[in-house]
Amino acid sequence: SRGDFDQATKYLDRARTLSDQQGDTTNAIFSTIEMGKIYRIAGRFRDAEVLLRWSLSRLDEKGIEHARGTIHSELGM
């Protein structure tokens, strides 16, 4: 919200790494979704799309339905 994309990216990457290390795939996916949002806001559209499409495929693999709308909304933006 403050426009500090570098710091936001560091926190989200750390969250994703910790989630992966703990075997918490769901939170790793959600951290990646948030990073995709940050990239979109920062104008890094291709990077955002890559992360969001990866997240969407992982949600499908895990059978998680409730975040699909968020991802499609972000991809639409």
Side-chain angles (χ1 to χ4, degrees), residues 24 31 34 58:
D24 186 353
S31 295
E34 293 302 317
R58 293 302 304 263

Side-chain angles (χ1 to χ4, degrees), residues 38-65:
I38 294 295
Y39 284 170
R40 179 193 54 82
I41 292 166
R44 294 176 58 181
F45 303 119
R46 181 66 184 130
D47 293 331
E49 182 179 3
V50 168
L51 292 178
L52 292 167
R53 289 192 183 282
W54 177 89
S55 298
L56 191 59
S57 70
R58 293 302 304 263
L59 288 177
D60 288 342
E61 289 173 12
K62 299 291 282 180
I64 300 169
E65 294 292 325

Side-chain angles (χ1 to χ4, degrees), residues 1-67:
S1 297
R2 295 183 302 204
D4 190 350
F5 302 121
D6 290 336
Q7 190 63 41
T9 300
K10 287 177 188 175
Y11 281 127
L12 289 167
D13 191 47
R14 181 71 177 138
R16 182 176 55 185
T17 299
L18 289 170
S19 295
D20 279 339
Q21 289 173 349
Q22 296 170 5
D24 186 353
T25 305
T26 301
N27 277 323
I29 294 167
F30 284 103
S31 295
T32 304
I33 293 168
E34 293 302 317
M35 192 175 297
K37 289 179 185 181
I38 294 295
Y39 284 170
R40 179 193 54 82
I41 292 166
R44 294 176 58 181
F45 303 119
R46 181 66 184 130
D47 293 331
E49 182 179 3
V50 168
L51 292 178
L52 292 167
R53 289 192 183 282
W54 177 89
S55 298
L56 191 59
S57 70
R58 293 302 304 263
L59 288 177
D60 288 342
E61 289 173 12
K62 299 291 282 180
I64 300 169
E65 294 292 325
H66 65 276

